Amino acid sequence: MKNYKTLYINLMLVATLALSSSCSQDFLDENLTTAYSKDYLKTEEGIQALAIGTYYQVLNHSTDIREVPLASTESGTDEFHAGGDASNHIWNSYASGLSSFVTVNNANTVAANTNWDKLYIGIGNANQLIESATASTSTKDAIKKTALGEGYFLRAYNYLKLVRQYGGVPLKLKTSSTVELEFTRASAKEVLAQVIDDFTKAYGLLANTGGPTKITKDAVAHYLAKAYLTRASEINDSWNSDTKTADLQQVVTLSDQVIANHPLAANYVNLWDYKAPDGANEKLPELILSASYNSNALNSGENQQHLFFLSTYDQLPQMERNTGGGRPFSRLAPTYFTFDVFDNVNDSRFWKSFQTKSAINKAASGYVNGTDLGIMYVVNKSTDNTRFAKTNNGLTDNIVYAKTGKKIPSVFVAYAADNGNLMAGVRFPSLSKYMDGARLDYNATKGTRDLVLARSAETYLMAAEAKVRLAKAGTGSFADALPYINAVRARAAYKAGEDRAAYTDGSAAVTVAVLGGRNSSFMAENSYYESNNITATTAATSLTITAGTYPDQDLAVIAKLGYTSEYDKMLCLILNERTRELCGEFHRWEDLSRTKTLVARAKAYNPEAAPNVQDKHNLRPIPQTFLDAVYASGKPLSAAEKQAMQNPGY
């Protein structure tokens, strides 16, 4: 599955498929051509080629369309806020320009219709795949089971995204041979019923082989559980009472099946320790489904997520851009919620997810490239604000690197005596989960590593959430969730003998000391000890939660958000744990939206979002391009009809 896009472009796509794929007038107006006839899609070869193309369009488009995953799933949450580049700040701030049209800042600004159109294109492809595989007279399992099951999965996958972003949307389940202009919105209840039906069909057709870059039965089970959990969530409470308990029981049953087949990686860092395309960390048993990429220059697909979470290190003294350090587009920065929600002494995940040290790579006199420390981020706690007295937008002077005795040119501190700040300007620890030192050079935007879409740590937390919801409904106790939570936390704890200052990420995939004439700034250590101010140790730690107790970090969030009921506290714990485990993995906005915690958390932790976010933002606006293209009774919609089709408040 390493050449999705090449095959997709060669196939792309017969006219009938184009006509069925989108509700946008822009898309309906396109005049696509293809080297293949419709008859090709009736052959076994054509069906399998279409399956490959649909894989690419549905699974890989989320990374190839650059800013969309950030805008739609990470911006405007408690985890991340506006970084140093303003291209898509409006998606974070919820300002008035975030509506059915999005106010454009520059060429990188995500339009209101981009995600919508891409999702419907993928649905059109999946519809064609389902119809072609169903109509085929082939007796091969590759057609009648695998291709058909993939079609059902991929259609459900995109409709699940649509309903989680927009609520009820038009259901388009068949291809068309003529232009269609009349569409109505199905309800969220109807869309989720279709999603669950499609996933259920896929579950019955697919085998458990070929993962994580092939859709397996376990991948279907994971997303089917996610669909049931979505239907049982607060955003659907006006209509989900009849299905809620059964849905939650299904979440647990399906999750247990997936967990049994996908053991967690032994060390959290294994997930991000990328060395080369198709390397060991892309084949870990924990991985359930991944979007597949490689370094083939002929494959125009590219994972660009390595660009967006990085601080602009290359403007600092004795530093220049390099392949190991990454190309810093600096779209999103972590919030203080993200800094504070971790137990940074006992939980290894922050230190294995964020880059807090960089080596000098453009040395001045007296310094050595690759050896001397050039940048350090001290991520301390608010109770430890006296060690660092002088800051300037977080920058602290006259801090010495203990290993060399030399002054560190740039040190930034979370909490200092004069209120040090890592949310000012463009200085922040970089989320390093997508770092990619296997790129061709320091300016390359084409990433080579696979993007993890689903892994079993999330499955554990979905099961835990279902148990919490079942306890609220009177089935079981809240403590039933703890074995699932503690399994994830046990992996996160430091093991006996582990070097807590050790660090790696995908930057280590750089294979030469000097690439493109520039030294690497990658440094194989973090600021654990400088941040925590404790004596060096290799003792094991424990993160086990016992019934009726909450970690201090969670108690602080519970108090800030004013939760008093046991259910609200436990759901808060689950959402916090999802940040600790899944930070930056493109789940957050939808998690907060479906649980209707988005407004409270964004107001509490996201400074740009706080003045503007309101209840209407639990759903995205229906794009104006769609509303302007739709007809009713042979005529374009009136202004009143467009407003009736729009989500409330927009």
Side-chain angles (χ1 to χ4, degrees):
M1 284 301 174
K2 288 290 182 182
N3 289 308
Y4 292 154
K5 194 165 186 178
T6 301
L7 286 167
Y8 179 67
I9 290 171
N10 288 339
L11 187 64
M12 179 80 177
L13 254 182
V14 292
T16 54
L17 180 57
L19 292 170
S20 71
S21 293
S22 176
C23 303
S24 160
Q25 184 68 58
D26 289 343
F27 184 80
L28 292 172
D29 284 345
E30 289 182 7
N31 182 23
L32 299 180
T33 60
T34 176
Y36 295 103
S37 71
K38 284 183 62 179
D39 290 339
Y40 180 66
L41 299 183
K42 299 177 183 178
T43 68
E44 292 177 350
E45 179 187 11
I47 291 168
Q48 290 178 295
L50 177 59
I52 292 171
T54 308
Y55 259 85
Y56 168 74
Q57 180 61 38
V58 174
L59 299 185
N60 293 55
H61 100 273
S62 63
T63 52
D64 274 354
I65 54 177
R66 295 170 60 92
E67 320 275 330
V68 172
L70 284 81
S72 64
T73 66
E74 292 294 344
S75 293
T77 67
D78 51 359
E79 284 185 354
F80 289 95
H81 74 115
D85 184 284
S87 296
N88 281 296
H89 281 189
I90 195 166
W91 287 88
N92 179 73
S93 69
Y94 300 101
S96 59
L98 183 66
S99 192
S100 56
F101 282 120
V102 168
T103 300
V104 174
N105 186 40
N106 58 41
N108 294 316
T109 303
V110 174
N113 61 296
T114 303
N115 197 30
W116 174 281
D117 289 351
K118 288 284 188 178
L119 290 169
Y120 271 109
I121 291 171
I123 287 166
N125 296 0
N127 284 340
Q128 183 68 70
L129 179 57
I130 292 167
E131 291 178 12
S132 296
T134 300
S136 173
T137 58
S138 173
T139 59
K140 293 181 179 178
D141 283 353
I143 304 299
K144 285 299 186 182
K145 287 188 176 181
T146 302
L148 183 58
E150 289 169 341
Y152 282 124
F153 174 89
L154 293 165
R155 183 168 72 182
Y157 181 90
N158 270 14
Y159 268 121
L160 182 59
K161 283 182 174 290
L162 280 164
V163 75
R164 284 161 68 101
Q165 289 278 325
Y166 301 97
V169 296
L171 280 173
K172 176 64 176 161
L173 305 177
K174 293 182 179 180
T175 60
S176 305
S177 58
T178 60
V179 173
E180 290 186 48
L181 295 174
E182 300 203 6
F183 296 91
T184 58
R185 287 183 69 179
S187 66
K189 181 177 183 179
E190 291 167 330
V191 176
L192 280 165
Q194 183 63 49
V195 167
I196 289 168
D197 183 65
D198 278 354
F199 277 142
T200 301
K201 288 175 180 173
Y203 184 83
L205 290 166
L206 292 172
N208 240 349
T209 57
T213 56
K214 285 279 286 181
I215 301 164
T216 63
K217 186 181 289 290
D218 281 345
V220 181
H222 175 91
Y223 282 97
L224 180 55
K226 182 171 284 195
Y228 280 124
L229 187 60
T230 299
R231 189 161 70 175
S233 294
E234 281 79 359
I235 199 166
N236 298 316
D237 273 355
S238 64
W239 55 264
N240 65 9
S241 58
D242 291 344
T243 55
K244 184 176 290 190
T245 299
D247 284 353
L248 295 171
Q249 290 168 340
Q250 286 277 30
V251 174
V252 175
T253 299
L254 290 163
S255 296
D256 285 345
Q257 293 173 14
V258 174
I259 288 166
N261 295 330
H262 293 272
L264 298 175
N267 190 323
Y268 190 72
V269 79
N270 298 151
L271 294 161
W272 320 116
D273 189 15
Y274 176 73
K275 294 295 193 291
D278 302 325
N281 90 309
E282 295 192 335
K283 302 172 184 177
L284 294 169
E286 180 173 340
L287 306 183
I288 300 168
L289 186 64
S290 299
S292 180
Y293 296 92
N294 67 10
S295 56
N296 184 351
L298 296 177
N299 177 5
S300 57
E302 52 182 90
N303 181 353
Q304 295 192 345
Q305 299 313 317
H306 60 89
L307 299 166
F308 301 127
F309 293 95
L310 305 187
S311 175
T312 51
Y313 68 96
D314 50 350
Q315 300 171 357
L316 292 171
Q318 303 193 57
M319 305 297 300
E320 65 180 347
R321 184 181 302 174
N322 63 96
T323 305
R327 183 174 177 180
F329 277 24
S330 191
R331 300 296 200 254
L332 290 179
T335 64
Y336 268 70
F337 167 78
T338 297
F339 297 144
D340 293 341
V341 78
F342 290 87
D343 174 350
N344 280 348
V345 172
N346 299 304
D347 190 334
S348 71
R349 288 173 293 189
F350 180 85
W351 306 108
K352 294 170 181 176
S353 300
F354 287 88
Q355 187 181 78
T356 55
K357 286 185 176 181
S358 295
I360 285 174
N361 76 322
K362 190 180 180 181
S365 177
Y367 287 87
V368 179
N369 288 325
T371 298
D372 288 321
L373 181 56
I375 307 170
M376 180 169 70
Y377 289 96
V378 176
V379 188
N380 56 343
K381 298 301 184 185
S382 60
T383 52
D384 173 35
N385 65 348
T386 59
R387 284 189 294 134
F388 302 93
K390 180 185 178 184
T391 65
N392 177 17
N393 285 337
L395 178 63
T396 297
D397 296 327
N398 299 317
I399 305 299
V400 171
Y401 182 37
K403 289 185 178 181
T404 65
K406 298 177 185 177
K407 176 185 172 182
I408 306 168
S410 301
V411 178
F412 302 91
V413 178
Y415 293 100
D418 62 343
N419 298 314
N421 188 359
L422 294 186
M423 292 181 68
V426 293
R427 311 302 177 206
F428 50 85
S430 297
L431 180 76
S432 58
K433 289 180 176 181
Y434 308 113
M435 294 291 284
D436 187 349
R439 295 174 298 116
L440 293 177
D441 61 58
Y442 53 82
N443 278 329
T445 61
K446 178 181 172 63
T448 63
R449 63 188 299 176
D450 293 349
L451 183 83
V452 176
L453 301 174
R455 55 188 180 89
S456 58
E458 186 192 10
T459 320
Y460 274 97
L461 295 178
M462 289 196 299
E465 184 178 334
K467 288 289 190 180
V468 168
R469 293 179 179 279
L470 284 167
K472 181 184 181 184
T475 301
S477 69
F478 291 113
D480 293 340
L482 292 179
Y484 295 97
I485 299 171
N486 283 331
V488 174
R489 290 174 66 85
R491 193 262 299 274
Y494 286 105
K495 308 304 181 288
E498 185 172 358
D499 179 1
R500 301 187 192 182
Y503 175 79
T504 192
D505 61 37
S507 301
V510 176
T511 56
V512 293
V514 181
L515 184 62
R518 298 188 177 187
N519 295 280
S520 176
S521 62
F522 172 72
M523 186 167 244
E525 64 180 76
N526 59 40
S527 66
Y528 174 90
Y529 286 111
E530 293 91 341
S531 297
N532 288 313
N533 197 28
I534 63 173
T535 303
T537 177
T538 57
T541 60
S542 174
L543 294 170
T544 300
I545 300 173
T546 58
T549 65
Y550 295 90
D552 290 343
Q553 296 75 25
D554 296 276
L555 289 173
V557 178
I558 288 167
K560 189 175 185 72
L561 297 178
Y563 294 137
T564 57
S565 74
E566 200 64 21
Y567 171 75
D568 284 338
K569 292 178 182 179
M570 285 297 293
L571 183 60
C572 182
L573 170 65
I574 296 288
L575 290 172
N576 293 347
E577 196 63 37
R578 286 183 69 89
T579 287
R580 290 184 282 254
E581 182 65 31
L582 303 167
C583 185
E585 295 182 45
F586 308 115
H587 305 294
R588 192 60 173 178
W589 186 90
E590 292 179 0
D591 285 333
L592 301 187
S593 165
R594 68 177 174 82
T595 56
K596 298 194 77 171
T597 57
L598 174 67
V599 175
R601 283 178 173 260
K603 281 185 175 295
Y605 296 108
N606 189 314
E608 299 92 21
N612 303 315
V613 67
Q614 51 190 290
D615 285 345
K616 73 175 186 179
H617 293 123
N618 282 305
L619 293 175
R620 303 297 190 188
I622 304 300
Q624 195 67 38
T625 51
F626 166 72
L627 297 174
D628 289 345
V630 174
Y631 279 48
S633 301
K635 298 184 298 183
L637 296 185
S638 67
E641 288 170 325
K642 291 177 185 179
Q643 190 60 49
M645 190 175 279
Q646 182 57 271
N647 278 326
Y650 291 103

PDB file of all heavy atoms in Angstrom, residues 187-209:
ATOM      1  N   SER A 187     -30.363  13.346   9.742  1.00  0.00           N
ATOM      2  CA  SER A 187     -30.092  13.672  11.141  1.00  0.00           C
ATOM      3  C   SER A 187     -28.821  12.956  11.596  1.00  0.00           C
ATOM      4  O   SER A 187     -28.372  11.984  10.979  1.00  0.00           O
ATOM      5  CB  SER A 187     -31.264  13.234  12.019  1.00  0.00           C
ATOM      6  OG  SER A 187     -31.378  11.816  12.006  1.00  0.00           O
ATOM      7  N   ALA A 188     -28.237  13.432  12.694  1.00  0.00           N
ATOM      8  CA  ALA A 188     -27.073  12.755  13.265  1.00  0.00           C
ATOM      9  C   ALA A 188     -27.418  11.312  13.621  1.00  0.00           C
ATOM     10  O   ALA A 188     -26.594  10.400  13.455  1.00  0.00           O
ATOM     11  CB  ALA A 188     -26.588  13.515  14.504  1.00  0.00           C
ATOM     12  N   LYS A 189     -28.643  11.087  14.080  1.00  0.00           N
ATOM     13  CA  LYS A 189     -29.085   9.730  14.406  1.00  0.00           C
ATOM     14  C   LYS A 189     -29.046   8.840  13.170  1.00  0.00           C
ATOM     15  O   LYS A 189     -28.571   7.694  13.221  1.00  0.00           O
ATOM     16  CB  LYS A 189     -30.501   9.782  14.986  1.00  0.00           C
ATOM     17  CG  LYS A 189     -31.068   8.424  15.395  1.00  0.00           C
ATOM     18  CD  LYS A 189     -32.450   8.593  16.027  1.00  0.00           C
ATOM     19  CE  LYS A 189     -33.000   7.257  16.520  1.00  0.00           C
ATOM     20  NZ  LYS A 189     -34.337   7.427  17.168  1.00  0.00           N
ATOM     21  N   GLU A 190     -29.520   9.351  12.040  1.00  0.00           N
ATOM     22  CA  GLU A 190     -29.533   8.572  10.803  1.00  0.00           C
ATOM     23  C   GLU A 190     -28.119   8.338  10.279  1.00  0.00           C
ATOM     24  O   GLU A 190     -27.796   7.241   9.800  1.00  0.00           O
ATOM     25  CB  GLU A 190     -30.375   9.300   9.754  1.00  0.00           C
ATOM     26  CG  GLU A 190     -31.860   9.315  10.076  1.00  0.00           C
ATOM     27  CD  GLU A 190     -32.638  10.293   9.205  1.00  0.00           C
ATOM     28  OE1 GLU A 190     -32.068  11.319   8.774  1.00  0.00           O
ATOM     29  OE2 GLU A 190     -33.840  10.029   8.967  1.00  0.00           O
ATOM     30  N   VAL A 191     -27.271   9.345  10.373  1.00  0.00           N
ATOM     31  CA  VAL A 191     -25.898   9.185   9.891  1.00  0.00           C
ATOM     32  C   VAL A 191     -25.165   8.148  10.723  1.00  0.00           C
ATOM     33  O   VAL A 191     -24.482   7.260  10.186  1.00  0.00           O
ATOM     34  CB  VAL A 191     -25.152  10.529   9.904  1.00  0.00           C
ATOM     35  CG1 VAL A 191     -23.690  10.324   9.495  1.00  0.00           C
ATOM     36  CG2 VAL A 191     -25.819  11.529   8.970  1.00  0.00           C
ATOM     37  N   LEU A 192     -25.293   8.230  12.040  1.00  0.00           N
ATOM     38  CA  LEU A 192     -24.600   7.258  12.888  1.00  0.00           C
ATOM     39  C   LEU A 192     -25.154   5.856  12.701  1.00  0.00           C
ATOM     40  O   LEU A 192     -24.398   4.875  12.763  1.00  0.00           O
ATOM     41  CB  LEU A 192     -24.677   7.694  14.350  1.00  0.00           C
ATOM     42  CG  LEU A 192     -23.663   8.781  14.721  1.00  0.00           C
ATOM     43  CD1 LEU A 192     -24.015   9.427  16.052  1.00  0.00           C
ATOM     44  CD2 LEU A 192     -22.251   8.202  14.765  1.00  0.00           C
ATOM     45  N   ALA A 193     -26.429   5.720  12.452  1.00  0.00           N
ATOM     46  CA  ALA A 193     -26.983   4.390  12.157  1.00  0.00           C
ATOM     47  C   ALA A 193     -26.350   3.825  10.890  1.00  0.00           C
ATOM     48  O   ALA A 193     -26.022   2.631  10.821  1.00  0.00           O
ATOM     49  CB  ALA A 193     -28.504   4.479  12.011  1.00  0.00           C
ATOM     50  N   GLN A 194     -26.162   4.675   9.874  1.00  0.00           N
ATOM     51  CA  GLN A 194     -25.520   4.224   8.639  1.00  0.00           C
ATOM     52  C   GLN A 194     -24.055   3.868   8.883  1.00  0.00           C
ATOM     53  O   GLN A 194     -23.552   2.859   8.362  1.00  0.00           O
ATOM     54  CB  GLN A 194     -25.609   5.313   7.574  1.00  0.00           C
ATOM     55  CG  GLN A 194     -25.037   4.911   6.223  1.00  0.00           C
ATOM     56  CD  GLN A 194     -25.799   3.757   5.599  1.00  0.00           C
ATOM     57  OE1 GLN A 194     -27.026   3.786   5.530  1.00  0.00           O
ATOM     58  NE2 GLN A 194     -25.082   2.733   5.164  1.00  0.00           N
ATOM     59  N   VAL A 195     -23.364   4.668   9.655  1.00  0.00           N
ATOM     60  CA  VAL A 195     -21.968   4.390   9.989  1.00  0.00           C
ATOM     61  C   VAL A 195     -21.840   3.035  10.672  1.00  0.00           C
ATOM     62  O   VAL A 195     -20.984   2.207  10.318  1.00  0.00           O
ATOM     63  CB  VAL A 195     -21.408   5.512  10.887  1.00  0.00           C
ATOM     64  CG1 VAL A 195     -20.084   5.104  11.514  1.00  0.00           C
ATOM     65  CG2 VAL A 195     -21.247   6.799  10.096  1.00  0.00           C
ATOM     66  N   ILE A 196     -22.676   2.800  11.647  1.00  0.00           N
ATOM     67  CA  ILE A 196     -22.615   1.537  12.389  1.00  0.00           C
ATOM     68  C   ILE A 196     -22.970   0.362  11.491  1.00  0.00           C
ATOM     69  O   ILE A 196     -22.340  -0.702  11.552  1.00  0.00           O
ATOM     70  CB  ILE A 196     -23.529   1.622  13.628  1.00  0.00           C
ATOM     71  CG1 ILE A 196     -22.904   2.584  14.656  1.00  0.00           C
ATOM     72  CG2 ILE A 196     -23.787   0.256  14.242  1.00  0.00           C
ATOM     73  CD1 ILE A 196     -23.826   2.990  15.783  1.00  0.00           C
ATOM     74  N   ASP A 197     -23.943   0.549  10.614  1.00  0.00           N
ATOM     75  CA  ASP A 197     -24.307  -0.515   9.682  1.00  0.00           C
ATOM     76  C   ASP A 197     -23.148  -0.834   8.734  1.00  0.00           C
ATOM     77  O   ASP A 197     -22.835  -2.013   8.500  1.00  0.00           O
ATOM     78  CB  ASP A 197     -25.542  -0.102   8.885  1.00  0.00           C
ATOM     79  CG  ASP A 197     -26.024  -1.211   7.950  1.00  0.00           C
ATOM     80  OD1 ASP A 197     -26.442  -2.272   8.456  1.00  0.00           O
ATOM     81  OD2 ASP A 197     -25.978  -1.011   6.717  1.00  0.00           O
ATOM     82  N   ASP A 198     -22.497   0.193   8.194  1.00  0.00           N
ATOM     83  CA  ASP A 198     -21.373  -0.035   7.285  1.00  0.00           C
ATOM     84  C   ASP A 198     -20.204  -0.702   7.995  1.00  0.00           C
ATOM     85  O   ASP A 198     -19.586  -1.642   7.465  1.00  0.00           O
ATOM     86  CB  ASP A 198     -20.910   1.291   6.678  1.00  0.00           C
ATOM     87  CG  ASP A 198     -21.755   1.730   5.497  1.00  0.00           C
ATOM     88  OD1 ASP A 198     -22.630   0.954   5.060  1.00  0.00           O
ATOM     89  OD2 ASP A 198     -21.541   2.856   5.002  1.00  0.00           O
ATOM     90  N   PHE A 199     -19.852  -0.220   9.171  1.00  0.00           N
ATOM     91  CA  PHE A 199     -18.764  -0.841   9.921  1.00  0.00           C
ATOM     92  C   PHE A 199     -19.099  -2.298  10.258  1.00  0.00           C
ATOM     93  O   PHE A 199     -18.230  -3.178  10.205  1.00  0.00           O
ATOM     94  CB  PHE A 199     -18.484  -0.071  11.210  1.00  0.00           C
ATOM     95  CG  PHE A 199     -17.597   1.136  11.049  1.00  0.00           C
ATOM     96  CD1 PHE A 199     -17.838   2.293  11.785  1.00  0.00           C
ATOM     97  CD2 PHE A 199     -16.511   1.131  10.189  1.00  0.00           C
ATOM     98  CE1 PHE A 199     -17.024   3.405  11.658  1.00  0.00           C
ATOM     99  CE2 PHE A 199     -15.686   2.245  10.057  1.00  0.00           C
ATOM    100  CZ  PHE A 199     -15.944   3.386  10.797  1.00  0.00           C
ATOM    101  N   THR A 200     -20.346  -2.557  10.609  1.00  0.00           N
ATOM    102  CA  THR A 200     -20.751  -3.931  10.942  1.00  0.00           C
ATOM    103  C   THR A 200     -20.607  -4.848   9.741  1.00  0.00           C
ATOM    104  O   THR A 200     -20.137  -5.998   9.858  1.00  0.00           O
ATOM    105  CB  THR A 200     -22.193  -3.933  11.469  1.00  0.00           C
ATOM    106  OG1 THR A 200     -22.284  -3.097  12.631  1.00  0.00           O
ATOM    107  CG2 THR A 200     -22.641  -5.341  11.831  1.00  0.00           C
ATOM    108  N   LYS A 201     -20.989  -4.371   8.559  1.00  0.00           N
ATOM    109  CA  LYS A 201     -20.801  -5.167   7.345  1.00  0.00           C
ATOM    110  C   LYS A 201     -19.316  -5.414   7.089  1.00  0.00           C
ATOM    111  O   LYS A 201     -18.911  -6.531   6.735  1.00  0.00           O
ATOM    112  CB  LYS A 201     -21.435  -4.452   6.158  1.00  0.00           C
ATOM    113  CG  LYS A 201     -22.957  -4.469   6.170  1.00  0.00           C
ATOM    114  CD  LYS A 201     -23.524  -3.631   5.031  1.00  0.00           C
ATOM    115  CE  LYS A 201     -25.055  -3.644   5.034  1.00  0.00           C
ATOM    116  NZ  LYS A 201     -25.620  -2.715   4.039  1.00  0.00           N
ATOM    117  N   ALA A 202     -18.502  -4.389   7.247  1.00  0.00           N
ATOM    118  CA  ALA A 202     -17.062  -4.542   7.037  1.00  0.00           C
ATOM    119  C   ALA A 202     -16.473  -5.539   8.025  1.00  0.00           C
ATOM    120  O   ALA A 202     -15.611  -6.362   7.665  1.00  0.00           O
ATOM    121  CB  ALA A 202     -16.369  -3.190   7.175  1.00  0.00           C
ATOM    122  N   TYR A 203     -16.937  -5.497   9.266  1.00  0.00           N
ATOM    123  CA  TYR A 203     -16.443  -6.412  10.294  1.00  0.00           C
ATOM    124  C   TYR A 203     -16.699  -7.864   9.896  1.00  0.00           C
ATOM    125  O   TYR A 203     -15.864  -8.749  10.135  1.00  0.00           O
ATOM    126  CB  TYR A 203     -17.120  -6.094  11.625  1.00  0.00           C
ATOM    127  CG  TYR A 203     -16.625  -6.918  12.784  1.00  0.00           C
ATOM    128  CD1 TYR A 203     -15.466  -6.562  13.460  1.00  0.00           C
ATOM    129  CD2 TYR A 203     -17.315  -8.047  13.214  1.00  0.00           C
ATOM    130  CE1 TYR A 203     -15.007  -7.319  14.529  1.00  0.00           C
ATOM    131  CE2 TYR A 203     -16.868  -8.803  14.281  1.00  0.00           C
ATOM    132  CZ  TYR A 203     -15.711  -8.434  14.939  1.00  0.00           C
ATOM    133  OH  TYR A 203     -15.260  -9.180  15.994  1.00  0.00           O
ATOM    134  N   GLY A 204     -17.834  -8.130   9.267  1.00  0.00           N
ATOM    135  CA  GLY A 204     -18.165  -9.483   8.857  1.00  0.00           C
ATOM    136  C   GLY A 204     -17.422  -9.956   7.621  1.00  0.00           C
ATOM    137  O   GLY A 204     -17.400 -11.161   7.332  1.00  0.00           O
ATOM    138  N   LEU A 205     -16.797  -9.033   6.897  1.00  0.00           N
ATOM    139  CA  LEU A 205     -16.149  -9.382   5.634  1.00  0.00           C
ATOM    140  C   LEU A 205     -14.631  -9.456   5.715  1.00  0.00           C
ATOM    141  O   LEU A 205     -14.010 -10.214   4.959  1.00  0.00           O
ATOM    142  CB  LEU A 205     -16.531  -8.356   4.560  1.00  0.00           C
ATOM    143  CG  LEU A 205     -17.980  -8.382   4.074  1.00  0.00           C
ATOM    144  CD1 LEU A 205     -18.298  -7.109   3.296  1.00  0.00           C
ATOM    145  CD2 LEU A 205     -18.237  -9.620   3.219  1.00  0.00           C
ATOM    146  N   LEU A 206     -14.019  -8.682   6.591  1.00  0.00           N
ATOM    147  CA  LEU A 206     -12.566  -8.540   6.570  1.00  0.00           C
ATOM    148  C   LEU A 206     -11.872  -9.506   7.510  1.00  0.00           C
ATOM    149  O   LEU A 206     -12.406  -9.888   8.555  1.00  0.00           O
ATOM    150  CB  LEU A 206     -12.184  -7.098   6.921  1.00  0.00           C
ATOM    151  CG  LEU A 206     -12.582  -6.059   5.869  1.00  0.00           C
ATOM    152  CD1 LEU A 206     -12.340  -4.650   6.387  1.00  0.00           C
ATOM    153  CD2 LEU A 206     -11.814  -6.285   4.570  1.00  0.00           C
ATOM    154  N   ALA A 207     -10.660  -9.874   7.132  1.00  0.00           N
ATOM    155  CA  ALA A 207      -9.824 -10.754   7.948  1.00  0.00           C
ATOM    156  C   ALA A 207      -8.916  -9.922   8.837  1.00  0.00           C
ATOM    157  O   ALA A 207      -8.877  -8.694   8.758  1.00  0.00           O
ATOM    158  CB  ALA A 207      -8.999 -11.659   7.036  1.00  0.00           C
ATOM    159  N   ASN A 208      -8.147 -10.587   9.667  1.00  0.00           N
ATOM    160  CA  ASN A 208      -7.256  -9.897  10.603  1.00  0.00           C
ATOM    161  C   ASN A 208      -5.807 -10.008  10.159  1.00  0.00           C
ATOM    162  O   ASN A 208      -4.923 -10.333  10.947  1.00  0.00           O
ATOM    163  CB  ASN A 208      -7.423 -10.469  12.014  1.00  0.00           C
ATOM    164  CG  ASN A 208      -7.878  -9.398  12.991  1.00  0.00           C
ATOM    165  OD1 ASN A 208      -7.881  -8.218  12.679  1.00  0.00           O
ATOM    166  ND2 ASN A 208      -8.262  -9.808  14.185  1.00  0.00           N
ATOM    167  N   THR A 209      -5.561  -9.751   8.898  1.00  0.00           N
ATOM    168  CA  THR A 209      -4.207  -9.845   8.367  1.00  0.00           C
ATOM    169  C   THR A 209      -3.864  -8.573   7.604  1.00  0.00           C
ATOM    170  O   THR A 209      -4.736  -7.905   7.059  1.00  0.00           O
ATOM    171  CB  THR A 209      -4.067 -11.045   7.406  1.00  0.00           C
ATOM    172  OG1 THR A 209      -5.040 -10.920   6.348  1.00  0.00           O
ATOM    173  CG2 THR A 209      -4.299 -12.358   8.139  1.00  0.00           C
TER     174      THR A 209
END
